[in-house]
Amino acid sequence: KALNKQVILATPDEVYWFFRKNVKFSGLLIYGLAMVDEFVLDEAHLFIGLILRNLAHLKERVRLLSAKLGRKSLWHILTATPTAGLRELAGGIEVRGTSKCGNIEVSFLEPVQGYDERQNRLVTAVDTALADGARKVLLVFNSADLAHRVFESIKGRSRPDMPIDLQWRFGRIQWGKFKPWLEQEAGEFEQIVEEIERWLGTERPLYLKDLEAGTQCYVPTETLAARVAHLLEGQAWIIKRLLNSAARENGHDFIEAVDRRLGGQGKLPRLLWRTLEPGLENRANPERLFGGLEALISLIQEGLERVWADEALQVTAPEFREITASLREAGAGHELAEAITVLLKDTMEIPENAAAGLRMSAKELCQRRLAFPWLKWLIKEQSIREALVERIRQAMAENRLEFETRHIALWRDIGVPVVVYTGKMRRAERKGLIEAFAELPRSVLISTSAVEVGVDFDADVLITEQCDGNGFLQRFGRVGRRLGSHCKVIALVRDGDTYIRLFHRHQAQMSREEFSSLIADPTEGIFPARLHAEGSAFLDATHWLVNTQLGEIGDSLNQSMFGESGVKELALKLRATGLPFVYGLRGTLPEVTLQGGGGGEPFYILRKVSNERLLPGDSPFEMARSDMWYMKFLWKLASWKAIVVDINATLEGSHALFWWKDGEWHTQAGYGIAADYLKLFSDQPVSQGKSLPQLLNAVKPTITENLDGFLSEMNAQQSKPLPRLLLRVGKALRLFFEPHHRFILGQGQVYLKRVDPDGIALAVEDRFGNPLVLQDQMWLLLYGHTKDETEGRLRTVSALDWQEVIYDFQTLDVQGSRIIGPVLLDRVAGACFDVYRKLVEHVA
């Protein structure tokens, strides 16, 4: 639909996800993209590292498609801080603009230690600027959490004096204060009190569990069936993982090994296994068990289609026995049916017609806040709505209504409004705040890097933490946007060495261009750019696979984009393994989202949010959802010292190994392949008093020169434990003899653990006891390396502190008693591949 428009506003990510999820529409999409006349890429400084490489592939794909139709699209790449990568993307064509901004007085604050000292130094700088008569002050933090903490800690008790239009737009009031005002103000509004109160009582996510006892409602059976299918398939995946793991355990009864592993799982997979187990004929055959498990799930799903033939099912709170009975009739056992019903009660939203009759307590209702703009669509009758809006605005002008302004307060009760604006806020919450800051005759804006893009205002004082060079120049461009204005920039420097360099190189009089070079020059800049990956074989291979989705023309695209490079070979190996892959411009690491919007990476959020507050995620971008609100999260102290990778579970859950040898990429797929590979390093005696490394070194020539023959010999002895292990490792046996054999690049599900202040580790699970994992992630284990050794290696190959990588230097084994090696994870897909390549090349 959008492709029919003259102007399309979109992000590159939206195009990528269209390709990834809608293969049947790819032909339409690529034709539409090929017909686009001009692309405008704004705020292009955000495209760096692997993100820029993804964009370059998209641009080349579009260029080639356009050429097929005899067309040529133009690309306009806009930025105030061009980089070498962007210049290359533009093909060397550059149009330089002339800044209309005036020169600015710049000063630097000496570095301070600690979170509180940093906050106090910046807040004091704002106090000084306001005392000196500054009209517009911009305070920028690197952390959204710190920005919100400062806003909450300095805001005064009084409401800021603002134009009525802004008071109306951002005003909100507690129902406990607004209801009496409505009832006393005029009789004509009494009839809408109940209407507003009813809406406020249901304006929240409501689930089946929220229905009062005895309440009945109709639930769509299609929604119920989809949710049950999602639950069953998720639990079946857990059981399959355990079956694969048990199948590799030597010398134990297979079913006993499965039962032992299930003991550490949630209730639902244990019940599903208990339902399956009595009907098993061959209890020692994993493939038969897989088939039996899939047959059981199909039986339940087909049974539900029969039982839930109608469009809706009437259910009764609080037990919802109708759901339990349906599940039992469909083939689920009694306990399994009850467990699924409990999960549905907690996770399934109730229909709107049922929510309308739900009531919260009077005390809770009084605490609910009503935003004034909501009244325009909440009150249906136009005459009453217009009269009420006019009466409220009049009460605002006469100061007869006690309300607050959302995200706008007073700076320490000195009469200056302060606005907070960060990327953690939902888009609807941010809307209009920048305009409010610009309209107010005098104000302070507290923000983060969110203020670097997509905003247009003019401040006369900028106070900021040190950040990377390009980011600093973007912030720098928010002041002095009028010729002849006298403006200041004050930056809190991060460390003493940087402060000394600034002291020696900074001049009293510098043009904007000179100052920009001082700060962000790629080689001599004092605030260097953040570090990023240069490229990735994995990223290129995924684009090769994307092109193949386009049919015959995709072959032509691949030939033009990748030629005879090794990209095709790696892509074919990825496709042969059947591994799911992710790609895109932004981070591919799933987040933990908080109630009401916001969230962040699991390694940060989970330090404050307990298992009991977590629900399974609803999208590929979510690891989990939390029922905690962002503001409560903000002020909560971390309960855990760290969130780390559960390396043993991650190794057991691996799906593939990758390694570089003889100028090409190799892969070995198989469940738990990484765990099997690590067993090759065991120093325990396995035969004739010799360890496995000793035995392997004795047959090294045979493995390296005739691996197929060696594996054929092992296949003849596969009834024995050791040959079975070597067969599972397969082609990866050759990696064992490489200089980089302890660099282990794998893919699969990543499991996490919480570590408390006493060093005790606890698995990350949802409130139902089910493991929460990072799905289909690439990871790199530096086996046997300490933190210092790892940092030294990464620093040597210039692969430390990349923005696309998460460095977990605290990875524990399952007992939490030893470190077996740091783990690196992709923040952007393909980053670990590039780190691995650098390490291997250095060793070689």
Side-chain angles (χ1 to χ4, degrees):
K1 183 177 179 181
L3 290 170
N4 291 322
K5 305 296 183 182
Q6 287 184 296
V7 176
I8 305 168
L9 295 179
T11 66
D13 265 341
E14 289 175 311
V15 177
Y16 276 112
W17 280 101
F18 197 102
F19 269 116
R20 186 74 177 92
K21 298 297 183 182
N22 299 277
V23 177
K24 64 181 179 180
F25 294 123
S26 291
L28 172 64
L29 177 63
I30 62 175
Y31 178 76
L33 290 175
M35 298 298 290
V36 171
D37 296 308
E38 305 190 32
F39 291 82
V40 180
L41 184 71
D42 197 11
E43 305 294 359
H45 69 282
L46 297 176
F47 296 87
I48 40 185
L50 296 185
I51 293 176
L52 180 61
R53 192 171 181 88
N54 268 305
L55 179 67
H57 283 319
L58 175 62
K59 179 175 182 286
E60 181 66 3
R61 185 180 290 118
V62 171
R63 185 189 71 80
L64 292 168
L65 291 170
S66 298
K68 295 284 185 184
L69 300 175
R71 300 177 60 85
K72 183 178 181 180
S73 58
L74 298 178
W75 284 69
H76 307 274
I77 301 169
L78 312 181
T79 180
T81 53
T83 63
L86 290 174
R87 289 188 171 98
E88 183 178 346
L89 189 68
I93 301 172
E94 185 171 345
V95 178
R96 289 179 175 269
T98 302
S99 173
K100 296 182 179 180
C101 301
N103 287 331
I104 292 171
E105 177 187 336
V106 182
S107 60
F108 299 94
L109 301 176
E110 295 183 24
V112 292
Q113 298 297 321
Y115 190 92
D116 293 335
E117 289 85 352
R118 193 165 86 245
Q119 172 181 328
N120 293 336
R121 179 67 63 88
L122 293 166
V123 169
T124 300
V126 176
D127 289 333
T128 302
L130 292 174
D132 290 343
R135 309 299 299 173
K136 299 282 184 163
V137 179
L138 173 58
L139 174 59
V140 186
F141 293 98
N142 295 334
S143 160
D145 288 356
L146 183 54
H148 284 283
R149 282 177 182 270
V150 169
F151 178 77
E152 295 295 329
S153 63
I154 58 88
K155 70 179 185 181
R157 295 180 298 275
S158 304
R159 189 176 66 251
D161 183 19
M162 300 190 302
I164 298 299
D165 285 344
L166 291 180
Q167 291 187 46
W168 168 264
R169 185 170 184 176
F170 296 102
R172 62 179 186 178
I173 187 170
Q174 284 187 345
W175 180 243
K177 296 175 181 178
F178 192 45
K179 180 180 178 180
W181 184 87
L182 278 174
E183 293 173 336
Q184 296 172 12
E185 187 67 13
E188 61 184 303
F189 300 136
E190 290 180 2
Q191 59 181 304
I192 66 172
V193 169
E194 184 177 346
E195 183 179 349
I196 296 174
E197 192 166 69
R198 185 188 309 113
W199 181 83
L200 280 175
T202 58
E203 197 278 310
R204 56 176 176 165
L206 293 168
Y207 301 95
L208 290 176
K209 65 177 182 178
D210 295 315
L211 290 171
E212 295 180 3
T215 303
Q216 291 188 324
C217 70
Y218 284 91
V219 181
T221 52
E222 183 179 355
T223 306
L224 273 173
R227 187 58 63 105
V228 171
H230 179 74
L231 286 172
L232 290 175
E233 288 163 6
Q235 305 315 307
W237 174 83
I238 293 173
I239 295 175
K240 287 180 180 180
R241 178 178 64 84
L242 298 179
L243 290 173
N244 274 310
S245 175
R248 301 198 323 276
E249 187 171 318
N250 300 319
H252 295 280
D253 178 80
F254 180 64
I255 297 298
E256 179 186 331
V258 176
D259 289 337
R260 188 169 61 253
R261 283 163 168 76
L262 277 167
Q265 300 297 320
K267 184 177 182 180
L268 200 55
R270 294 200 303 272
L271 290 173
L272 189 59
W273 173 252
R274 196 181 303 167
T275 304
L276 169 69
E277 192 180 2
L280 298 177
E281 294 181 2
N282 190 337
R283 296 163 56 87
N285 188 324
E287 295 302 323
R288 289 288 183 87
L289 292 175
F290 290 162
L293 185 59
E294 291 173 356
L296 173 62
I297 292 175
S298 296
L299 174 70
I300 296 173
Q301 291 178 338
E302 290 169 3
L304 288 176
E305 289 181 10
R306 183 183 67 256
V307 175
W308 289 340
D310 296 331
E311 290 186 359
L313 175 71
Q314 186 180 46
V315 297
T316 309
E319 301 297 335
F320 302 98
R321 297 191 183 280
E322 299 90 345
I323 298 177
T324 306
S326 298
L327 288 164
R328 291 186 63 187
E329 187 179 347
H334 177 70
E335 286 187 280
L336 178 60
E338 287 196 335
I340 294 175
T341 303
V342 170
L343 287 172
L344 292 174
K345 285 165 57 176
D346 270 32
T347 60
M348 189 162 178
E349 291 191 32
I350 62 177
E352 189 174 339
N353 58 348
L358 205 59
R359 290 287 186 270
M360 63 175 63
S361 69
K363 182 179 179 181
E364 185 182 1
L365 191 59
C366 285
Q367 298 299 315
R368 298 302 305 275
R369 285 176 169 81
L370 175 74
F372 291 128
W374 295 350
L375 296 172
K376 288 193 173 182
W377 51 263
L378 185 57
I379 301 173
K380 307 301 182 185
E381 191 169 334
Q382 182 177 351
S383 59
I384 296 178
R385 182 175 65 246
E386 291 176 350
L388 178 59
V389 169
E390 181 59 33
R391 196 70 59 86
I392 292 173
R393 294 171 70 94
Q394 183 179 348
M396 288 175 171
E398 298 170 359
N399 202 24
R400 293 187 293 104
L401 193 59
E402 187 179 348
F403 65 96
E404 63 182 7
T405 45
R406 178 175 51 88
H407 305 310
I408 304 177
L410 279 182
W411 183 274
R412 298 188 192 276
D413 283 326
I414 63 172
V416 178
V418 54
V419 181
V420 64
Y421 178 94
T422 74
K424 291 284 187 181
M425 298 159 60
R426 289 176 296 174
R427 182 179 297 181
E429 288 183 303
R430 296 198 304 266
K431 187 176 181 180
L433 289 171
I434 295 297
E435 291 79 2
F437 170 70
E439 290 176 28
L440 290 166
R442 196 177 188 204
S443 54
V444 176
L445 176 64
I446 298 177
S447 191
T448 60
S449 57
V451 83
E452 296 174 15
V453 298
V455 297
D456 185 17
F457 60 81
D458 184 21
D460 46 76
V461 176
L462 164 67
I463 300 168
T464 178
E465 294 186 273
Q466 177 187 330
C467 59
D468 69 280
N470 281 345
F472 185 86
L473 293 184
Q474 291 290 332
R475 298 177 188 184
F476 189 73
R478 304 304 162 194
V479 295
R481 295 165 73 91
R482 303 182 310 277
L483 286 174
S485 60
H486 181 70
C487 300
K488 296 181 180 179
V489 170
I490 302 168
L492 176 62
V493 180
R494 184 179 299 140
D495 59 81
D497 290 341
T498 301
Y499 187 80
I500 292 171
R501 291 171 64 201
L502 280 167
F503 181 81
H504 287 298
R505 293 181 56 188
H506 182 250
Q507 303 172 27
Q509 296 293 326
M510 297 182 75
S511 66
R512 274 183 177 263
E513 289 73 17
E514 291 170 332
F515 181 75
S516 297
S517 179
L518 170 70
I519 292 296
D521 184 85
T523 56
E524 300 295 329
I526 292 179
F527 292 174
R530 289 174 291 179
L531 301 176
H532 291 273
E534 298 172 0
S536 169
F538 178 84
L539 182 151
D540 294 343
T542 60
H543 279 275
W544 192 96
L545 291 170
V546 168
N547 286 343
T548 62
Q549 294 180 352
L550 308 182
E552 189 173 326
I553 196 173
D555 296 334
S556 173
L557 290 175
N558 277 330
Q559 184 60 37
S560 298
M561 292 174 66
F562 303 109
E564 299 302 322
S565 66
V567 171
K568 176 180 179 180
E569 285 69 25
L570 176 57
L572 290 174
K573 289 172 182 176
L574 282 172
R575 187 161 65 184
T577 62
L579 297 176
F581 62 89
V582 289
Y583 62 92
L585 299 181
R586 300 198 178 277
T588 58
L589 190 76
E591 291 190 336
V592 177
T593 56
L594 297 167
Q595 188 84 334
E601 292 179 349
F603 294 90
Y604 168 59
I605 299 293
L606 293 176
R607 290 185 62 203
K608 296 185 179 184
V609 180
S610 64
N611 288 354
E612 291 73 24
R613 308 208 67 162
L614 295 173
L615 291 165
D618 279 341
S619 80
F621 302 104
E622 282 184 334
M623 177 189 183
R625 293 178 292 127
S626 171
D627 62 2
M628 184 181 293
W629 290 87
Y630 176 69
M631 291 308 298
K632 183 174 182 179
F633 170 86
L634 189 63
W635 294 100
K636 181 178 173 59
L637 296 176
S639 302
W640 289 272
K641 181 174 65 175
I643 303 298
V644 301
V645 174
D646 181 349
I647 188 58
N648 278 12
T650 299
L651 292 169
E652 289 285 346
S654 59
H655 294 158
L657 277 184
F658 298 88
W659 66 96
W660 180 259
K661 178 177 168 54
D662 299 332
E664 64 176 303
W665 288 99
H666 301 265
T667 183
Q668 177 71 34
Y671 198 89
I673 176 61
D676 286 332
Y677 176 76
L678 276 193
K679 289 178 182 177
L680 303 183
F681 294 89
S682 173
D683 57 4
Q684 298 297 315
V686 293
S687 177
Q688 301 176 347
K690 294 184 178 181
S691 67
L692 190 48
Q694 291 172 324
L695 293 174
L696 288 174
N697 280 306
V699 294
K700 177 180 176 181
T702 304
I703 293 176
T704 55
E705 296 171 14
N706 185 17
L707 179 59
D708 290 340
F710 177 80
L711 293 176
S712 177
E713 182 180 340
M714 291 299 101
N715 192 56
Q717 308 174 52
Q718 62 175 310
S719 60
K720 301 177 182 179
L722 182 55
R724 279 206 307 272
L725 171 64
L726 299 179
L727 285 169
R728 289 197 300 268
V729 175
K731 292 181 293 183
L733 285 171
R734 281 181 173 164
L735 172 62
F736 184 75
F737 301 106
E738 293 297 314
H740 51 275
H741 63 298
R742 288 179 178 265
F743 303 153
I744 303 172
L745 181 64
Q747 192 265 9
Q749 320 305 326
V750 174
Y751 291 76
L752 302 179
K753 278 183 172 273
R754 308 171 183 275
V755 182
D756 70 10
D758 296 323
I760 298 173
L762 172 72
V764 172
E765 300 173 337
D766 63 24
R767 65 172 55 165
F768 311 117
N770 299 312
L772 291 170
V773 301
L774 302 172
Q775 298 277 5
D776 304 324
Q777 294 294 306
M778 199 69 66
W779 47 263
L780 173 60
L781 168 66
L782 277 69
Y783 177 61
H785 291 70
T786 65
K787 176 179 183 291
D788 290 340
E789 288 172 341
T790 300
E791 287 186 332
R793 282 186 177 276
L794 295 173
R795 190 177 290 110
T796 300
V797 299
S798 302
L800 185 61
D801 296 328
W802 283 1
Q803 295 299 304
E804 297 98 335
V805 177
I806 290 178
Y807 301 85
D808 176 18
F809 294 121
Q810 305 182 72
T811 301
L812 304 176
D813 73 356
V814 73
Q815 290 82 24
S817 59
R818 63 189 177 96
I819 297 176
I820 73 168
V823 171
L824 279 58
L825 301 176
D826 281 352
R827 185 177 276 117
V828 177
C832 283
F833 252 76
D834 203 29
V835 177
Y836 178 87
R837 177 185 61 83
K838 283 179 169 289
L839 290 171
V840 170
E841 289 175 352
H842 179 70
V843 170

